[in-house]
């Protein structure tokens, strides 16, 4: 019945439109519930996770999970900085080891599960996620090392270490680079299997670290004996282990599930649990890492978060065990129809009962460095196990030094304000005296043009600098910053914790840094200049080709250079020792002694840095008029005299800034030291900048101490560059 | 002091570019020889070959009877003054001058004595402790010469040393150079593109063009008896006028062309192989507008350039532009656009072969190529 057709249809249209709008609004509002999930999965695990998330989202239209893959390196740091500020995820996947730190820092929310739910997970997984009586996340997967073996070399895998040693003695032929067992023996992570197998422990009953417990020492002696019999390769690293196994030169490898992805297709392998330690009758028990999904304390909706966590840990376990190839923590996952648990995962599950959960003790992270140093020292034959572990224990105690007492910031702030006021007053007076205001008004537009650049400089340069320097006045401990005044500086400069000739002392490192800089700059300049002079000669054919080739070292990214050179300095498989062997020189253990390790660093950095000096010299040489050298030639000067009396003095004005730049860069050359020698032996080849890095990131995050180091580096370089500038002025 | 002998000196670059095509000449002991020629003629290259800064591709060079092709510069006992002075900027004047001596290990007091002596000769005594950048162009040039003088070499080599100076300074330095040569009496080889410098300084001049020696002779010889058209046109300023004419034998030989007829000395009639057509050369100041000489040339005045005592008359003779240099008082009242008749003495007329460019003179064979 259409009464009033026109009006009627208008009303209908309006009603329909409003209904549509209302519906859209409701739908949007309805779909607004989002849950952010962070993870650092790659490969199969990532595929399985994404599939799980997809099916969860499909079945939960009102709750959408948004996963975000975070690169692994800075993942932990990102979490610790983002969560407290509310920018972090609602839930995230991580290994359990930081649990202690994070729960004390208030980053996590505990979860509660009924007893019978809990029992569906492996005990070791549950234990790993327990801290101070509470349960902190849902376990997803178990990761540990196990024993890989090549059936062609090792038909029957060993049940205990006596059998293992027997097999190793049969197989190993060190002159040909064939070994019964290859694994990263210098890494504490892998050594832990032997440590626990010998009945050792890291933290004693009083919950203190005790690296030099007798059983620990015996485990190190065990590895030392294998080393002495040349049954395991020297200076093993991950790349070497993989290479040996892939070339069929390693019978057995101790490694984790990730290693399977590095094995080439034509190498057959199988995996069994690690053997029993014959001396104790206990199984070698590697570290167990439990990967779990945690809830952020700042999660928007805890119930929703928990719902997804349960889904992923429980319902999606089957998917993760098959597509994701994970050794899931759920004892009986529900598998997708027709699929079996991934064989790789199944093998590692066999090891799971014989593992020790990585301690979530806050001090655990400080253990790695001293323990690894001790192991490597023993492996090189530079120390006996007892001494090495004792020193590691000592180092640990020193590295976890208590924070300096808190001070009141008032006097410092007062001083700062005073300085700022003085600066402003001085600036105003200066402006007045030099008619700066008038100049500024006149050049108004010029200043406007400068403004963007000035702003970016302030934001990118000055602000971080000021913040960095300010941090040096604080001490950072477990997420909290306390003001300590100049205590950090005092402790560094007075070397209160270490003797001056201990590698950890500021002065030791300073001397090494200065030596490092001087040696490099000298070699760069000499080599660069020599090559530039040689490239000048017209009779040298293919000059252009040489020039390009000689620039290449500079063009290659320097961390690649560093890694390649490090490989070349490997004692057993490195190119340098192979080359020296031609001349009958015994293989040198480059990183066992300070001077050889230092030389390795210098060699690498020289290779990297001479092109710069060469290019500068080439340019400066063009500016020298040719007839000056001809006049010198006619005057009777030979090539050497010509160089020193004519060429060099004229090169100086160009070289001097290059040398200053080069020395500042070398002083702070992090990559080479960190990647080539890594500070070996025992941190003696560290330079100031790498030392500062370690204080910040490997020694309990002592940011304040590290910032003080950085500030001191800045001051040192400031003095140096100004000093040379003044010297330059005097000369000319 | 030494004599030099150059025998067929050749210099080739990259096996293709021949900069010196076989130079042969003897330079007497104590002589001031000037190498002159247009840009690219090879004069600087020849000088550098003598110095030893360039390698001689072919030929022989003897200094004082010794073959020096393979000797490096420092063993040839020569000193060189560069166009850009090439003073060591980071050394004081004193050290610049002393450098070569200290390289040879001369004792310090001997060096000081020599440097002081040379500085005195060149008026540099007050400037000994200055740096080159604190000196004027002329002072720098003198330091460069001082550096050469202290060496007491057998031969001095100069590579266009006055080119970078302004005109007035150039004149002054020319005189100083001449005085220097008179005092030292050392063999000097001097390169320039300026023919006035060549004429005023040289005992003998070597004119080069295209890597070949065109003529070697005294300034007078080159001026009065140029060996070919190139030398005739190069030496003398303003340069010689060239016309095309036809030779007429007879008792009074003459050469005539559109607008002119000049007479020649009688022995020109006896020259064998004289081509019918010749190039005629007359120097500007040999054209006389007052009708006091012989022969005629009808020309129309285009531009008059008074240069003081003389005037340059730029005229058109037939189709050819000619220049006459005439005392100004002889042509008072003459204006541009007017006609003028020139006359020339017989002895002032030069003949050149139209193809080869060689001069045609009685008593020497006509060279057609």
């Amino acid at each position: 019945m259409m009464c009033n057709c026109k009006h009627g249809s208008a009303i209908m249209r309006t009603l329909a439109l409003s209904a549509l709008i209302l519906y859209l609004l409701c739908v949007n509002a309805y779909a607004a519930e989002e849950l952010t999930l962070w993870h650092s999965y790659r490969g199969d695990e990532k595929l399985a996770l994404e599939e799980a998330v997809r099916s969860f989202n499909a079945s939960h239209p009102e709750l959408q999970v948004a996963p975000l893959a975070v690169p692994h390196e800075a993942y932990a740091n990102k979490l610790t900085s983002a969560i407290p500020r509310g920018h972090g995820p609602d839930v995230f996947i991580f290994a359990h080891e930081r649990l202690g730190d994070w729960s004390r820092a208030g980053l996590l929310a505990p979860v509660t599960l009924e007893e019978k739910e809990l029992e569906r997970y492996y005990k070791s997984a549950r234990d790993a996620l327990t801290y101070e009586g509470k349960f902190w996340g849902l376990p997803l997967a178990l990761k540990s090392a196990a024993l890989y073996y090549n059936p062609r070399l090792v038909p029957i895998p060993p049940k205990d270490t006596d059998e293992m040693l027997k097999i190793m003695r049969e197989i190993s032929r060190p002159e040909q680079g064939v070994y019964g067992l290859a694994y990263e023996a210098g890494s504490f992570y892998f050594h832990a299997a032997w440590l626990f197998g010998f009945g050792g422990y890291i933290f004693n009953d009083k919950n203190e670290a005790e690296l030099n417990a007798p059983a620990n020492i015996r485990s190190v002696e065990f590895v030392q004996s294998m080393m002495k019999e040349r049954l395991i390769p020297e200076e093993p690293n991950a790349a070497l282990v993989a290479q040996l196994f892939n070339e069929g030169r390693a019978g057995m490898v101790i490694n984790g599930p990730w290693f399977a992805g590095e094995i080439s297709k034509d190498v057959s392998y199988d995996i069994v649990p690690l053997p029993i330690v014959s001396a104790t009758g206990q199984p070698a028990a590697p570290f167990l890492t439990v990967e779990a999904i945690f809830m952020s304390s700042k999660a928007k909706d805890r119930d929703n978060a928990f719902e997804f966590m349960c889904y992923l840990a429980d319902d999606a376990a089957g998917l993760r065990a098959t597509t994701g190839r994970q050794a899931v923590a759920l004892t009986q996952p529900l598998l997708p129809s027709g699929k079996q648990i991934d064989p790789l995962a199944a093998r590692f599950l066999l090891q799971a009962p014989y593992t020790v959960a990585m301690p979530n003790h806050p001090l655990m992270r400080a253990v790695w460095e001293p323990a690894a140093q001790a192991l490597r020292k023993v492996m090189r034959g530079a120390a006996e196990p007892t001494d090495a572990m004792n020193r590691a224990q000592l180092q640990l105690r020193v590295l976890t030094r208590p924070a300096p007492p808190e001070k009141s910031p008032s006097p410092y702030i007062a001083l700062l304000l005073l300085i700022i006021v003085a600066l402003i007053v001085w600036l105003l007076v200066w402006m007045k005296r030099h008619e700066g205001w008038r100049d500024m008004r006149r050049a108004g537009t010029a200043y406007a043009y400068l403004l963007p650049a000035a702003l970016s400089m302030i934001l990118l340069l000055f602000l971080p600098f000021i913040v960095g320097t300010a941090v040096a006045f604080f001490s950072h401990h477990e997420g909290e910053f306390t003001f300590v005044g100049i205590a950090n500086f005092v402790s560094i400069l007075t070397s209160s914790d270490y003797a001056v000739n201990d590698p950890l002392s500021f002065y030791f490192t300073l001397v090494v840094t200065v030596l490092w800089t001087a040696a490099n700059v000298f070699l760069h300049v000499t080599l660069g200049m020599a090559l530039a002079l040689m490239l000048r000669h017209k009779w040298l054919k293919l000059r252009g080709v040489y020039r390009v080739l000689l620039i290449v070292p500079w063009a290659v990214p320097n961390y690649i250079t560093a890694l390649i050179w490090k490989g070349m300095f490997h004692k057993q498989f490195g190119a340098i020792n192979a080359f020296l062997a031609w001349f009958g020189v015994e293989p040198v253990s480059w990183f066992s002694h300070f001077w050889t390790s230092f030389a390795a660093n210098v060699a690498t950095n020289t290779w990297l840095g001479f092109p710069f000096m060469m290019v500068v010299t080439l340019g400066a040489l063009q500016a020298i008029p040719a007839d000056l050298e001809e006049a010198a030639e006619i005057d009777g000067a030979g090539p050497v005299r010509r160089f020193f009396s004519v060429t060099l003095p004229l090169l100086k004005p160009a070289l001097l800034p290059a040398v200053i730049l080069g020395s500042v860069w070398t002083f702070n050359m992090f990559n080479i030291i960190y990647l080539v020698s890594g500070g070996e032996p025992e941190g003696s080849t560290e330079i100031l900048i790498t030392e500062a890095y370690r204080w910040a990131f490997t020694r309990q995050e002592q940011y304040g101490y590290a910032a003080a180091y950085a500030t001191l580096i800045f001051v040192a370089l400031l003095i140096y560059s100004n000093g040379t500038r003044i010297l330059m002025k005097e000369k000319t | 002091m030494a004599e030099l002998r150059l025998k067929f000196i050749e210099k080739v670059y990259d096996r293709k570019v021949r900069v010196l095509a076989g130079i042969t000449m003897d330079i007497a002991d104590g002589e001031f020889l000037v190498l002159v020629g247009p840009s690219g003629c090879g004069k600087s290259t020849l000088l550098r070959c003598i110095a030893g800064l360039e390698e001689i591709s072919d030929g022989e060079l003897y200094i004082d009877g010794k073959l020096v092709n393979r000797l490096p510069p420092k063993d040839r006992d020569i000193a060189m003054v560069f166009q850009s002075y090439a003073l060591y900027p980071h050394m004081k004047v004193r050290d610049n001058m002393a450098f070569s001596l200290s390289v040879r290990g001369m004792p310090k007091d001997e060096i000081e004595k020599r440097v002081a002596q040379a500085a005195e000769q060149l008026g540099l005594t007050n400037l000994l402790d200055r740096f080159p950048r604190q000196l004027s162009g002329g002072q720098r040039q003198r330091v460069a010469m001082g550096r050469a003088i202290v060496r007491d070499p057998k031969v001095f080599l100069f590579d266009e040393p006055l080119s970078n100076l302004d005109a007035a300074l150039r004149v002054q330095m020319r005189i100083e150079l001449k005085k220097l040569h008179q005092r030292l009496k050392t063999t000097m080889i001097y390169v320039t593109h300026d023919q006035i410098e060549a004429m005023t300084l040289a005992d003998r001049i070597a004119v080069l063009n295209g890597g070949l020696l065109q003529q070697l002779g005294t300034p007078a010889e080159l001026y009065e008896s140029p060996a070919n058209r190139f030398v005739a046109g190069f030496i003398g300023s303003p340069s010689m006028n060239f016309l095309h004419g036809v030779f007429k034998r007879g008792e009074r030989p003459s050469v005539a062309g559109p607008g002119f007829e000049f007479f020649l000395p009688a022995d020109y009639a006896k020259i064998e192989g004289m081509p019918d057509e010749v190039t005629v050369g007359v120097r500007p100041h040999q054209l006389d507008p007052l009708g006091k000489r012989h022969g005629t040339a009808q020309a129309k005045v285009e531009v008059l350039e008074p240069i003081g005592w003389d005037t340059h008359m730029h005229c058109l003779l037939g189709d050819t532009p000619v220049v006459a240099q005439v005392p100004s008082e002889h042509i008072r009242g003459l204006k541009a656009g007017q006609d003028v008749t020139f006359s020339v003495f017989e002895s002032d007329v030069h003949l050149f072969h139209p193809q080869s460019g060689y001069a045609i003179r009685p008593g020497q064979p006509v060279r057609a190529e």
Side-chain angles (χ1 to χ4, degrees), chain A residues 627-628 630-638 641-642 645-646 649-650 732, chain B residues 48 73-74 80 82 84 86-90 99-100 102-104 147 151:
Chain A
D627 45 8
L628 271 184
E630 286 176 350
E633 206 182 334
I634 290 185
D635 274 346
R641 181 72 193 258
R642 275 207 307 270
S645 298
V646 178
L650 294 172
T732 52
Chain B
R48 288 165 66 87
K74 63 181 169 71
M80 188 151 161
F82 291 83
S84 60
L87 299 178
Y88 307 120
H90 56 286
F99 183 68
S100 57
S102 79
V103 166
R104 276 155 222 263
R147 186 167 67 175
R151 294 269 315 281

Short mmCIF file of all heavy atoms in Angstrom, two decimals, chain A residues 627-628 630-638 641-642 645-646 649-650 732, chain B residues 48 73-74 80 82 84 86-90 99-100 102-104 147 151:
data_model
loop_
_atom_site.label_atom_id
_atom_site.label_comp_id
_atom_site.label_asym_id
_atom_site.label_seq_id
_atom_site.Cartn_x
_atom_site.Cartn_y
_atom_site.Cartn_z
N ASP A 627 106.27 19.28 -12.46
CA ASP A 627 107.62 19.83 -12.64
C ASP A 627 108.37 20.01 -11.33
O ASP A 627 109.58 20.19 -11.33
CB ASP A 627 107.60 21.11 -13.48
CG ASP A 627 106.52 22.07 -13.07
OD1 ASP A 627 105.88 21.82 -12.05
OD2 ASP A 627 106.33 23.05 -13.79
N LEU A 628 107.67 19.92 -10.20
CA LEU A 628 108.39 19.96 -8.93
C LEU A 628 109.28 18.74 -8.81
O LEU A 628 110.43 18.82 -8.38
CB LEU A 628 107.42 19.99 -7.75
CG LEU A 628 106.97 21.35 -7.28
CD1 LEU A 628 106.10 21.21 -6.06
CD2 LEU A 628 108.16 22.22 -6.96
N GLU A 630 110.27 16.95 -11.31
CA GLU A 630 111.30 17.01 -12.35
C GLU A 630 112.44 17.91 -11.90
O GLU A 630 113.62 17.59 -12.12
CB GLU A 630 110.69 17.55 -13.65
CG GLU A 630 109.81 16.52 -14.32
CD GLU A 630 109.14 17.07 -15.55
OE1 GLU A 630 109.20 18.30 -15.75
OE2 GLU A 630 108.55 16.28 -16.29
N ALA A 631 112.08 19.04 -11.27
CA ALA A 631 113.13 19.93 -10.78
C ALA A 631 114.00 19.20 -9.77
O ALA A 631 115.24 19.34 -9.77
CB ALA A 631 112.50 21.16 -10.13
N ALA A 632 113.37 18.41 -8.92
CA ALA A 632 114.15 17.66 -7.93
C ALA A 632 115.02 16.62 -8.61
O ALA A 632 116.15 16.37 -8.19
CB ALA A 632 113.20 17.01 -6.93
N GLU A 633 114.49 16.04 -9.68
CA GLU A 633 115.27 15.04 -10.42
C GLU A 633 116.52 15.69 -11.01
O GLU A 633 117.61 15.15 -10.93
CB GLU A 633 114.40 14.48 -11.54
CG GLU A 633 114.78 13.09 -11.96
CD GLU A 633 113.93 12.58 -13.11
OE1 GLU A 633 112.77 13.05 -13.24
OE2 GLU A 633 114.43 11.75 -13.86
N ILE A 634 116.30 16.87 -11.58
CA ILE A 634 117.44 17.57 -12.18
C ILE A 634 118.40 18.04 -11.09
O ILE A 634 119.61 18.06 -11.29
CB ILE A 634 116.94 18.75 -13.03
CG1 ILE A 634 116.23 18.19 -14.26
CG2 ILE A 634 118.08 19.66 -13.42
CD1 ILE A 634 115.81 19.23 -15.23
N ASP A 635 117.83 18.38 -9.95
CA ASP A 635 118.70 18.80 -8.85
C ASP A 635 119.55 17.66 -8.35
O ASP A 635 120.46 17.85 -7.55
CB ASP A 635 117.85 19.34 -7.69
CG ASP A 635 117.52 20.82 -7.87
OD1 ASP A 635 118.17 21.44 -8.71
OD2 ASP A 635 116.63 21.31 -7.16
N GLY A 636 119.26 16.47 -8.80
CA GLY A 636 120.11 15.35 -8.44
C GLY A 636 119.53 14.42 -7.39
O GLY A 636 120.21 13.53 -6.92
N ALA A 637 118.28 14.64 -7.01
CA ALA A 637 117.72 13.79 -5.96
C ALA A 637 117.24 12.47 -6.55
O ALA A 637 116.54 12.46 -7.54
CB ALA A 637 116.55 14.53 -5.29
N GLY A 638 117.64 11.37 -5.93
CA GLY A 638 117.17 10.07 -6.36
C GLY A 638 115.73 9.85 -5.89
O GLY A 638 115.19 10.68 -5.16
N ARG A 641 115.14 10.20 -2.05
CA ARG A 641 115.32 11.57 -1.56
C ARG A 641 114.20 12.46 -2.06
O ARG A 641 113.67 13.30 -1.34
CB ARG A 641 116.68 12.09 -2.03
CG ARG A 641 117.00 13.50 -1.57
CD ARG A 641 117.31 13.55 -0.10
NE ARG A 641 117.31 14.93 0.39
CZ ARG A 641 118.40 15.62 0.62
NH1 ARG A 641 119.58 15.10 0.40
NH2 ARG A 641 118.32 16.86 1.07
N ARG A 642 113.80 12.21 -3.32
CA ARG A 642 112.70 13.00 -3.91
C ARG A 642 111.44 12.79 -3.08
O ARG A 642 110.70 13.72 -2.81
CB ARG A 642 112.42 12.55 -5.34
CG ARG A 642 113.28 13.19 -6.35
CD ARG A 642 112.61 13.25 -7.71
NE ARG A 642 112.09 12.00 -8.23
CZ ARG A 642 112.77 11.15 -8.97
NH1 ARG A 642 114.03 11.42 -9.25
NH2 ARG A 642 112.22 10.05 -9.42
N SER A 645 111.94 14.52 0.47
CA SER A 645 112.15 15.96 0.53
C SER A 645 111.08 16.75 -0.19
O SER A 645 110.83 17.89 0.13
CB SER A 645 113.50 16.32 -0.11
OG SER A 645 114.53 15.73 0.61
N VAL A 646 110.48 16.16 -1.21
CA VAL A 646 109.53 16.93 -2.02
C VAL A 646 108.11 16.38 -1.90
O VAL A 646 107.18 17.09 -1.54
CB VAL A 646 109.97 16.94 -3.49
CG1 VAL A 646 108.97 17.69 -4.33
CG2 VAL A 646 111.34 17.56 -3.62
N PRO A 649 106.42 16.10 2.06
CA PRO A 649 105.98 17.35 2.68
C PRO A 649 104.74 17.92 2.01
O PRO A 649 103.91 18.54 2.66
CB PRO A 649 107.18 18.28 2.49
CG PRO A 649 108.34 17.41 2.28
CD PRO A 649 107.83 16.18 1.61
N LEU A 650 104.62 17.67 0.70
CA LEU A 650 103.46 18.21 0.00
C LEU A 650 102.24 17.33 0.18
O LEU A 650 101.12 17.77 -0.06
CB LEU A 650 103.78 18.37 -1.49
CG LEU A 650 104.84 19.43 -1.74
CD1 LEU A 650 105.26 19.43 -3.19
CD2 LEU A 650 104.31 20.81 -1.37
N THR A 732 102.21 24.65 10.58
CA THR A 732 102.09 25.60 9.45
C THR A 732 102.15 27.02 9.96
O THR A 732 102.96 27.80 9.55
CB THR A 732 100.77 25.43 8.71
OG1 THR A 732 99.72 25.51 9.67
CG2 THR A 732 100.70 24.08 8.03
N ARG B 48 113.50 18.94 -23.12
CA ARG B 48 113.36 17.91 -22.09
C ARG B 48 114.19 16.69 -22.45
O ARG B 48 114.68 15.99 -21.57
CB ARG B 48 111.89 17.56 -21.91
CG ARG B 48 111.12 18.66 -21.21
CD ARG B 48 109.63 18.45 -21.36
NE ARG B 48 109.21 17.24 -20.67
CZ ARG B 48 108.88 17.21 -19.38
NH1 ARG B 48 108.90 18.31 -18.67
NH2 ARG B 48 108.49 16.07 -18.83
N PRO B 73 119.03 12.58 -15.58
CA PRO B 73 119.27 14.03 -15.55
C PRO B 73 120.37 14.43 -14.58
O PRO B 73 121.18 15.30 -14.87
CB PRO B 73 117.94 14.60 -15.11
CG PRO B 73 116.94 13.59 -15.49
CD PRO B 73 117.61 12.27 -15.42
N LYS B 74 120.38 13.79 -13.41
CA LYS B 74 121.32 14.29 -12.41
C LYS B 74 122.77 14.05 -12.78
O LYS B 74 123.66 14.68 -12.24
CB LYS B 74 121.01 13.65 -11.05
CG LYS B 74 121.16 12.15 -10.98
CD LYS B 74 120.80 11.70 -9.56
CE LYS B 74 120.65 10.23 -9.43
NZ LYS B 74 121.88 9.47 -9.51
N MET B 80 118.05 23.40 -14.89
CA MET B 80 116.88 23.79 -15.70
C MET B 80 116.05 24.82 -14.95
O MET B 80 115.84 24.71 -13.73
CB MET B 80 116.05 22.56 -15.99
CG MET B 80 114.93 22.82 -16.96
SD MET B 80 114.60 21.31 -17.87
CE MET B 80 112.95 21.66 -18.48
N PHE B 82 112.29 26.28 -15.01
CA PHE B 82 110.99 25.90 -15.55
C PHE B 82 110.10 27.10 -15.79
O PHE B 82 110.26 28.15 -15.17
CB PHE B 82 110.28 24.96 -14.59
CG PHE B 82 110.91 23.60 -14.49
CD1 PHE B 82 111.98 23.40 -13.65
CD2 PHE B 82 110.44 22.55 -15.25
CE1 PHE B 82 112.58 22.15 -13.56
CE2 PHE B 82 111.02 21.30 -15.15
CZ PHE B 82 112.09 21.10 -14.31
N SER B 84 107.07 27.40 -14.86
CA SER B 84 106.32 27.70 -13.66
C SER B 84 107.23 27.79 -12.44
O SER B 84 106.76 27.68 -11.32
CB SER B 84 105.29 26.59 -13.43
OG SER B 84 105.98 25.37 -13.28
N ALA B 86 108.77 26.07 -10.57
CA ALA B 86 108.92 24.81 -9.84
C ALA B 86 109.73 24.96 -8.57
O ALA B 86 110.64 24.19 -8.28
CB ALA B 86 109.57 23.75 -10.74
N LEU B 87 109.44 26.00 -7.82
CA LEU B 87 110.12 26.16 -6.53
C LEU B 87 109.45 25.26 -5.51
O LEU B 87 108.24 25.07 -5.54
CB LEU B 87 110.03 27.61 -6.07
CG LEU B 87 110.67 28.65 -6.98
CD1 LEU B 87 110.45 30.04 -6.42
CD2 LEU B 87 112.16 28.36 -7.12
N TYR B 88 110.21 24.72 -4.57
CA TYR B 88 109.64 23.87 -3.54
C TYR B 88 108.88 24.74 -2.56
O TYR B 88 109.48 25.53 -1.83
CB TYR B 88 110.75 23.09 -2.83
CG TYR B 88 111.65 22.34 -3.76
CD1 TYR B 88 113.01 22.59 -3.80
CD2 TYR B 88 111.14 21.38 -4.62
CE1 TYR B 88 113.83 21.91 -4.67
CE2 TYR B 88 111.95 20.69 -5.49
CZ TYR B 88 113.31 20.96 -5.51
OH TYR B 88 114.11 20.29 -6.37
N PRO B 89 107.56 24.61 -2.51
CA PRO B 89 106.78 25.57 -1.73
C PRO B 89 106.99 25.47 -0.23
O PRO B 89 106.76 26.43 0.50
CB PRO B 89 105.33 25.24 -2.08
CG PRO B 89 105.34 23.87 -2.63
CD PRO B 89 106.69 23.61 -3.19
N HIS B 90 107.45 24.31 0.22
CA HIS B 90 107.58 24.15 1.66
C HIS B 90 108.98 24.51 2.15
O HIS B 90 109.29 24.34 3.32
CB HIS B 90 107.25 22.70 2.04
CG HIS B 90 108.12 21.72 1.32
ND1 HIS B 90 107.96 21.40 -0.01
CD2 HIS B 90 109.16 20.98 1.75
CE1 HIS B 90 108.88 20.51 -0.36
NE2 HIS B 90 109.62 20.24 0.68
N PHE B 99 119.14 23.16 -2.15
CA PHE B 99 118.70 21.77 -2.20
C PHE B 99 119.63 20.88 -3.03
O PHE B 99 120.07 19.83 -2.55
CB PHE B 99 117.27 21.70 -2.77
CG PHE B 99 116.70 20.32 -2.78
CD1 PHE B 99 116.40 19.66 -1.61
CD2 PHE B 99 116.49 19.66 -3.98
CE1 PHE B 99 115.87 18.38 -1.61
CE2 PHE B 99 115.97 18.38 -4.00
CZ PHE B 99 115.66 17.73 -2.81
N SER B 100 119.90 21.31 -4.24
CA SER B 100 120.70 20.42 -5.11
C SER B 100 122.08 20.20 -4.54
O SER B 100 122.65 19.12 -4.67
CB SER B 100 120.80 21.04 -6.49
OG SER B 100 121.35 22.32 -6.38
N SER B 102 122.88 20.23 -1.32
CA SER B 102 122.85 19.37 -0.14
C SER B 102 122.60 17.93 -0.56
O SER B 102 123.07 17.00 0.10
CB SER B 102 121.78 19.85 0.84
OG SER B 102 120.51 19.43 0.42
N VAL B 103 121.89 17.75 -1.68
CA VAL B 103 121.69 16.38 -2.17
C VAL B 103 123.01 15.75 -2.54
O VAL B 103 123.26 14.57 -2.29
CB VAL B 103 120.75 16.39 -3.40
CG1 VAL B 103 120.79 15.05 -4.11
CG2 VAL B 103 119.34 16.69 -2.97
N ARG B 104 123.89 16.56 -3.12
CA ARG B 104 125.20 16.02 -3.52
C ARG B 104 126.19 15.94 -2.38
O ARG B 104 127.32 15.57 -2.58
CB ARG B 104 125.78 16.90 -4.64
CG ARG B 104 125.24 16.48 -5.98
CD ARG B 104 125.28 17.62 -6.97
NE ARG B 104 124.06 17.64 -7.74
CZ ARG B 104 123.94 17.10 -8.96
NH1 ARG B 104 124.97 16.54 -9.54
NH2 ARG B 104 122.80 17.15 -9.60
N ARG B 147 118.65 29.04 -8.22
CA ARG B 147 118.76 27.61 -7.95
C ARG B 147 119.61 26.92 -9.01
O ARG B 147 120.36 25.99 -8.72
CB ARG B 147 117.36 27.00 -7.92
CG ARG B 147 117.36 25.55 -7.51
CD ARG B 147 115.98 25.08 -7.20
NE ARG B 147 115.12 25.05 -8.38
CZ ARG B 147 113.90 24.59 -8.39
NH1 ARG B 147 113.39 24.12 -7.28
NH2 ARG B 147 113.16 24.60 -9.48
N ARG B 151 124.40 25.64 -9.00
CA ARG B 151 124.86 24.32 -9.41
C ARG B 151 126.14 24.41 -10.21
O ARG B 151 126.86 23.43 -10.31
CB ARG B 151 123.76 23.68 -10.26
CG ARG B 151 122.50 23.38 -9.52
CD ARG B 151 122.55 22.00 -8.97
NE ARG B 151 123.05 21.11 -10.00
CZ ARG B 151 122.33 20.64 -10.98
NH1 ARG B 151 121.06 20.96 -11.08
NH2 ARG B 151 122.87 19.86 -11.90
#
